[in-house]
Amino acid sequence: MSTRPLARAGRRFALAGAIALTATLALAGPAAAHAEVEADKPQALAENVTLSFVSEAESASAGFTELRIVLPDGIAPADVTLGEGPKGWKLTATKDGYTVAGPALKAGVDAEHKIKVRQLPDAKELAFKTVETYSDGEVSRWIELPTGGKEPEQPAPVLELKAAAPGAKPLSPSPTATAAAESATPSTASPTPAAGATGSDASSAASDTAADEDDGMPSGAVAAVIVVVVLVLGGGAWWLVKRRAGSASES
């Protein structure tokens, strides 16, 4: 009996098995990210690092007009500057990150931009939640993080970092970052009415100041109260002694 038919059947079976395995792996694998980030120095505590972001276009009729990036803990918005971006796009710092925006890109064109970071934090990985806005108002949010071992449907771009180099230390906060933090912190000083403020405005400011001082009376005020109490008690005692003396003389 010829072995050729058996050999052919074996090859066909192997080919069908390979195709089935490939399809199974493709279905089981995580969905491809539509927002990605890379670094020229992906290492914890690395300084002057350039991060490259790519947002893949999904709309066939509208182009990107804005990307909003939420920075991870350890990177201040003031420590980020724009390196490269689409023509006419500018970077604007926000409370928790930044936006890059400008004229709408053509439909189907990916949005790519680079930023320079003063220093990366001491971490194993960094997530950069990204919100994309198209010219037709459509918004795509790539902000989900893995939970319970499951891959999210719209994952945030994640940058994996190597361990910090020996001797590497965190830099002190930049002056701009420190100033921004101080401006965001409410002042404890007494409010001063602005020039041209109305009487009601000034009264409101004064009442606010009084309310702030209710929690702790100044030491000078305490001393004044004590003096008044002593005088009142002393006067009352003198009046009582005088009255008793008068009553005794009359009797």
Side-chain angles (χ1 to χ4, degrees), residues 169-208:
K169 297 180 180 180
L171 298 175
S172 59
S174 62
T176 51
T178 302
E182 290 177 350
S183 64
T185 303
S187 174
T188 57
S190 300
T192 301
T198 63
S200 59
D201 293 336
S203 299
S204 176
S207 62
D208 291 341

Side-chain angles (χ1 to χ4, degrees), residues 34 54-60 62-64 106-111 132 134:
H34 289 269
V54 178
S55 289
E56 297 181 5
E58 296 179 294
S59 175
F64 289 113
K106 293 182 179 180
V109 175
D110 297 342
E132 307 165 345
Y134 290 85

Side-chain angles (χ1 to χ4, degrees), residues 20-223:
L21 179 61
T22 301
T24 301
L25 292 176
L27 292 175
H34 289 269
E36 301 175 350
V37 60
E38 294 181 352
D40 61 344
K41 293 182 287 185
Q43 186 174 26
L45 298 180
E47 300 177 23
N48 298 318
V49 180
T50 298
L51 300 182
S52 301
F53 293 84
V54 178
S55 289
E56 297 181 5
E58 296 179 294
S59 175
S61 58
F64 289 113
T65 57
E66 180 185 270
L67 302 177
R68 181 174 180 269
I69 310 296
V70 177
L71 294 172
D73 291 339
I75 302 180
D79 290 336
V80 172
T81 55
L82 181 63
E84 299 178 12
K87 185 177 180 180
W89 283 38
K90 296 181 180 180
L91 183 146
T92 302
T94 62
K95 183 179 180 180
D96 57 359
Y98 67 90
T99 62
V100 281
L105 303 182
K106 293 182 179 180
V109 175
D110 297 342
E112 302 181 21
H113 76 281
K114 296 181 180 181
I115 59 171
K116 179 166 284 189
V117 179
R118 186 166 177 259
Q119 185 182 40
L120 296 180
D122 191 2
K124 293 183 179 180
E125 60 180 25
L126 303 173
F128 296 84
K129 297 181 179 181
T130 302
V131 179
E132 307 165 345
T133 302
Y134 290 85
S135 56
D136 60 357
E138 186 70 22
V139 176
S140 182
R141 296 176 173 84
W142 300 94
I143 60 175
E144 299 176 4
L145 301 177
T147 55
K150 296 182 179 179
E151 286 292 333
E153 295 183 0
Q154 291 184 296
V158 175
L159 177 66
E160 296 184 357
L161 302 180
K162 300 177 183 177
K169 297 180 180 180
L171 298 175
S172 59
S174 62
T176 51
T178 302
E182 290 177 350
S183 64
T185 303
S187 174
T188 57
S190 300
T192 301
T198 63
S200 59
D201 293 336
S203 299
S204 176
S207 62
D208 291 341
T209 303
D212 293 338
E213 294 177 351
D214 283 344
D215 294 336
M217 184 178 293
S219 58
V222 173

